[in-house]
Amino acid sequence: MSATVAQHPRSVPAAPRRPRHVRRAGHAGRVLAILALSATVLAVPAPAQAQAAEQVAVSLGDSFISGEAGRWWGNSTVSAAAGCTRGGTDRAAYRKRLICYYDPQRVYDGTAVHGEGTGCHRSDVAEITGLGQAGLTPVNLACSGAETRHVINEAFKENTASQAELLAQVAATQQVKVIVLSIGGNDLNLSGMLRRCAALYMAGDKRSCASAGEGDRFLAALPAVEQQVTLAVEKIRQVMSQASARSAGYRLILQSYPSPVPSPARVRYSEGGGGKATMRTLVGGCPLWDADFDLMHDTLAPAIDAMLRQVATATGAEFLSMLGAVEGHALCEQGTSQAGPLDDAAKLGDTMEWVRYGTAGAKISQGHQQEAMHPNAFGQQALGRCLLALYRNPGTQPCNAGTPAQESDLPHSTARTYSRSARTAVPR
């Protein structure tokens, strides 16, 4: 990691330009003019300066809030070249002189994967951008792959300081109105477990993760992760207790995770005998046995939700349950579809999957492995709507896929992201 710490931009007013009549006046006239300007500056009271600080909403944590998979408007089996945009799903695609190009930085800016130790994947449609509708400026400090230690005291990827340290920098110059935290999934290595489950199915191994005891091991790890998430919340509280008075009234929201897959009864492809040539693998991008759909949807996701709710209750944070955020639009779920060659996927949100498929089989050419099983652009916007609803109407309430869309649900929002390529926040 670089030792350079990304700095939050400070609002430093430009020096006042000397009036023309001052430049032409004699010495006495210049002195009088300077004294007048000085009196004007000194007359501004401190409270007015504090009120001028920008009101911001800060996101902390992992890939589910950084905006991972926000590059995609749903899924498509269209090949990399056909239609250039892969059925209209690839927001990083563009055409130049009849040649198709794919530039993830169009969505993830400087946090796109471009080398070892990078890839926070803070997208322009990340959940925190939903609070733009409440008049807040989004500041995205989250990073794909982050664990609780990366919030508390360790740098990670493009974040060359811990997220708590970066939060302190923001709170020193801006008015922090709300902090939203999504963390714990990587401490549990949820993505690693899903990859192992997929590998069993694609190998035609009749054992499921459920039968191999993966679920039991996962549940046994919850108490230790609960302690770590508690420490992360307490660290945020500590940072904010030392922040300027302008941020004293901030709100801290801890959120849970949506299940990326439906229950087995809702999967639109038959289980078959497993392997790399099945519909679940090659078309759906959801190579899992029925038992593992059940394990994820009906056991693990609810257990994580309950654990995080307990942390919120114990620490006095608000809790936002995201458990049902993509229900009805989960990966391979009945009633959803993938985009075809002639589709404009951006207009098909009501019928599309809101979760990025596993990059298995033919799909490995589309995007990055780390985007798999994460809410795509539609899903990120759904999470943002739920966050906005809670912000406007405080009180514990669940998120669900029926939360009405807002006019702000546009392909490009105004989130700020921190990157190694720019020492200041980059407005999108």
Side-chain angles (χ1 to χ4, degrees):
M1 297 297 299
S2 167
T4 304
V5 177
Q7 301 291 327
H8 187 77
R10 295 177 180 273
S11 300
V12 181
R17 185 176 181 181
R18 184 179 297 175
R20 183 176 300 173
H21 68 275
V22 174
R23 296 198 300 270
R24 293 178 179 175
H27 176 73
R30 287 196 296 271
V31 171
L32 289 175
I34 291 172
L35 288 174
L37 286 172
S38 300
T40 301
V41 172
L42 293 174
V44 178
Q49 291 177 335
Q51 291 173 3
E54 192 172 27
Q55 294 187 337
V56 301
V58 182
S59 57
L60 302 175
D62 54 29
S63 54
F64 274 76
I65 200 168
S66 75
E68 183 69 82
R71 170 178 172 175
W72 306 95
W73 288 125
N75 300 315
S76 174
T77 57
V78 177
S79 66
C84 193
T85 61
R86 297 162 169 147
T89 63
D90 193 346
R91 300 177 55 232
Y94 65 99
R95 189 187 298 275
K96 185 176 181 181
R97 296 179 181 175
L98 301 180
I99 300 175
C100 293
Y101 295 91
Y102 302 94
D103 181 9
Q105 293 193 57
R106 292 164 65 92
V107 175
Y108 300 123
D109 199 68
T111 66
V113 173
H114 51 79
E116 186 69 24
T118 62
C120 281
H121 277 191
R122 291 191 276 261
S123 72
D124 56 355
V125 290
E127 174 190 329
I128 197 67
T129 63
L131 291 183
Q133 283 294 290
L136 304 181
T137 298
V139 178
N140 192 350
L141 302 178
C143 186
S144 180
E147 300 176 18
T148 49
R149 58 196 172 102
H150 301 126
V151 173
I152 299 169
N153 58 14
E154 290 188 25
F156 184 62
K157 293 185 177 178
E158 286 88 356
N159 284 346
T160 53
S162 72
Q163 293 183 32
E165 291 179 59
L166 295 176
L167 172 64
Q169 294 175 24
V170 174
T173 59
Q174 309 300 340
Q175 183 179 5
V176 178
K177 297 290 289 182
V178 61
I179 301 166
V180 191
L181 174 65
S182 168
I183 203 70
N186 291 317
D187 293 71
L188 291 163
N189 195 17
L190 180 58
S191 61
M193 191 195 75
L194 285 171
R195 283 194 296 270
R196 291 192 295 274
C197 297
L200 288 173
Y201 181 87
M202 288 191 290
D205 192 322
K206 297 303 180 182
R207 294 176 303 163
S208 63
C209 275
S211 66
E214 288 274 6
D216 294 335
R217 287 189 287 272
F218 190 94
L219 295 174
L222 284 175
V225 175
E226 180 177 347
Q227 293 179 8
Q228 287 302 113
V229 175
T230 300
L231 291 176
V233 173
E234 291 174 347
K235 180 65 175 183
I236 293 169
R237 294 286 196 201
Q238 178 186 349
V239 166
M240 294 307 294
S241 70
Q242 299 169 357
S244 61
R246 67 171 68 93
S247 295
Y250 77 98
R251 292 167 60 183
L252 175 56
I253 299 172
L254 177 64
Q255 66 182 47
S256 62
Y257 300 90
S259 171
V261 297
S263 63
R266 294 281 301 164
V267 181
R268 66 174 181 265
Y269 306 108
S270 64
E271 184 178 43
K276 296 181 179 179
T278 65
M279 292 288 285
R280 284 191 181 184
T281 300
L282 288 180
V283 179
C286 55
L288 298 170
W289 295 108
D290 281 351
D292 291 336
F293 276 100
D294 180 76
L295 177 65
M296 184 67 240
H297 183 272
D298 294 339
T299 301
L300 300 188
I304 299 171
D305 184 88
M307 179 270 285
L308 293 171
R309 186 187 297 271
Q310 289 177 191
V311 174
T313 300
T315 59
E318 296 179 59
F319 180 67
L320 176 56
S321 174
M322 291 291 192
L323 195 56
V326 299
E327 200 76 21
H329 296 273
L331 182 61
C332 292
E333 186 160 9
Q334 292 176 6
T336 63
S337 61
Q338 297 182 345
L342 302 180
D343 285 331
D344 182 355
K347 299 178 180 179
L348 303 176
D350 289 342
T351 60
M352 296 288 279
E353 296 165 321
W354 290 358
V355 175
R356 184 63 179 161
Y357 51 37
T359 49
K363 298 177 177 59
I364 196 127
S365 62
Q366 295 191 21
H368 299 282
Q369 175 67 41
Q370 71 182 59
E371 294 172 310
M373 298 289 184
H374 287 82
N376 57 31
F378 293 125
Q380 293 292 336
Q381 291 177 338
L383 302 184
R385 291 193 294 270
C386 290
L387 176 60
L388 178 62
L390 177 65
Y391 182 79
R392 286 176 167 169
N393 300 287
T396 302
Q397 56 184 284
C399 174
N400 62 73
T403 303
Q406 304 291 328
E407 292 181 0
S408 62
D409 289 341
L410 300 174
H412 298 283
S413 301
T414 56
R416 284 179 171 174
T417 62
Y418 286 77
S419 67
R420 182 174 292 163
S421 61
R423 293 177 59 86
T424 58
V426 183
R428 292 290 296 178

